[in-house]
């Protein structure tokens, strides 16, 4: 979270939208005219008034934005598809080529958040980036099960409907899709109230 964040690889704007809840000002950058138009329309309909849409090359736009703004974070979710749509896993094959751009990026902000391919070689990636502070690994159900079929995947989300919009938790959908083994919704209520409310919430979602 912070004041100003720049999303260099805007796409449909999903990441920019949810990041806008954590930043005072978000700059969405996208070189594809159609995607930028769709994203701008969606931001308006969603009431995301703190997102500014920019069309063009992300790094060029970043440098222009940095002239008038102190940028807290730069976010990138680069394309991980090569020629013919094949998946690529090396940072040097990403588009944009993140490792090559780092010197330009760090002149604009001290912090960069980068989303990578699940199969990225961590050691190689750390060596190429050279300025890694934290790594967060997020795996989906099938990926976790592939590593350990006996592993039990459980979630403990908020039980309330607002958790979908505030926390991006669509836990009824997780159950319908079969991507969780055990679900234990959180409900912090007094003992005399908790059981009834808990059962009501579960019945409203699962019948």
């Amino acid at each position: 979270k912070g004041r100003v964040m720049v999303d260099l690889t805007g796409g449909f704007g999903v990441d920019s939208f949810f990041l806008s809840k954590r930043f005072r000002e978000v700059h969405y950058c996208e070189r594809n005219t159609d995607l930028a138009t769709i994203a701008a329309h969606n931001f308006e309909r969603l009431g995301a008034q703190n997102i500014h849409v920019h069309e063009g090359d992300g790094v060029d736009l970043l440098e222009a934005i940095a002239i008038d703004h102190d940028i807290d974070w730069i976010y990138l979710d680069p394309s991980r598809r090569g020629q013919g749509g094949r998946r690529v896993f090396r940072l040097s094959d990403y588009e944009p080529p993140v490792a090559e751009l780092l010197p330009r990026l760090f002149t604009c902000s001290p912090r960069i958040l980068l989303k990578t391919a699940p199969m990225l070689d961590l050691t190689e990636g750390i060596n190429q980036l050279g300025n890694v502070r934290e790594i967060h690994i997020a795996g989906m159900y099938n990926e976790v099960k592939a590593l350990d079929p006996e592993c039990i995947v459980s979630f403990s989300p908020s039980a309330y409907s607002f958790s979908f919009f505030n926390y991006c938790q669509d836990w009824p959908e997780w159950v319908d899709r079969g991507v969780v083994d055990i679900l234990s919704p959180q409900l912090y209520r007094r003992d005399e109230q908790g059981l009834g409310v808990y059962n009501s919430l579960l019945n409203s979602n699962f019948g």
Side-chain angles (χ1 to χ4, degrees):
K1 63 181 179 179
R3 294 169 299 172
V4 180
M5 191 277 299
V6 178
D7 181 354
L8 294 190
T9 52
F12 282 104
V14 176
D15 292 332
S16 286
F17 173 70
F18 283 106
L19 287 168
S20 72
K21 298 177 181 295
R22 305 289 292 178
F23 289 86
R24 185 183 305 171
E25 187 176 333
V26 171
H27 292 265
Y28 160 102
C29 303
E30 174 55 53
R31 61 188 179 186
N32 183 296
T33 301
D34 292 336
L35 285 178
T37 300
I38 292 170
H41 171 78
N42 289 339
F43 295 150
E44 182 179 356
R45 293 296 301 272
L46 292 167
Q49 299 180 358
N50 62 329
I51 303 179
H52 306 279
V53 175
H54 306 271
E55 183 185 336
D57 178 79
V59 181
D60 291 341
L61 291 169
L62 170 70
E63 292 173 334
I65 294 167
I67 295 174
D68 298 317
H69 298 79
D70 292 326
I71 300 171
D72 295 307
W73 283 91
I74 298 170
Y75 173 72
L76 296 99
D77 180 9
S79 173
R80 295 176 289 278
R81 296 279 184 177
Q83 293 183 347
R86 64 179 181 85
R87 291 183 181 273
V88 297
F89 305 103
R90 301 170 64 91
L91 291 176
S92 57
D93 295 327
Y94 287 7
E95 176 56 39
V98 179
E100 296 178 17
L101 294 174
L102 284 180
R104 293 178 66 185
L105 301 183
F106 276 121
T107 63
C108 299
S109 175
R111 290 173 290 271
I112 299 170
L113 177 61
L114 172 65
K115 182 178 179 181
T116 70
M119 298 302 291
L120 175 70
D121 184 307
L122 292 181
T123 300
E124 179 181 350
I126 291 171
N127 290 335
Q128 286 185 326
L129 295 173
N131 294 279
V132 178
R133 181 175 179 179
E134 294 182 4
I135 298 175
H136 296 263
I137 301 176
M140 296 298 291
Y141 183 84
N142 290 335
E143 294 167 327
V144 173
K145 287 292 188 177
L147 295 173
D148 183 1
E150 301 301 319
C151 178
I152 301 297
V153 178
S154 64
F155 294 123
S156 183
S158 166
Y160 298 98
S161 58
F162 62 73
S163 64
F164 175 79
F165 298 100
N166 291 356
Y167 313 133
C168 308
Q169 296 178 351
D170 190 5
W171 54 274
E173 175 69 12
W174 301 345
V175 173
D176 290 341
R177 291 173 53 193
V179 297
V180 57
D181 297 315
I182 298 175
L183 192 69
S184 179
Q186 301 177 42
L187 187 64
Y188 299 103
R189 291 297 184 96
R190 296 181 179 180
D191 291 341
E192 63 268 22
Q193 298 176 323
L195 183 60
V197 175
Y198 190 86
N199 287 335
S200 175
L201 288 168
L202 292 180
N203 289 335
S204 66
N205 282 283
F206 303 116

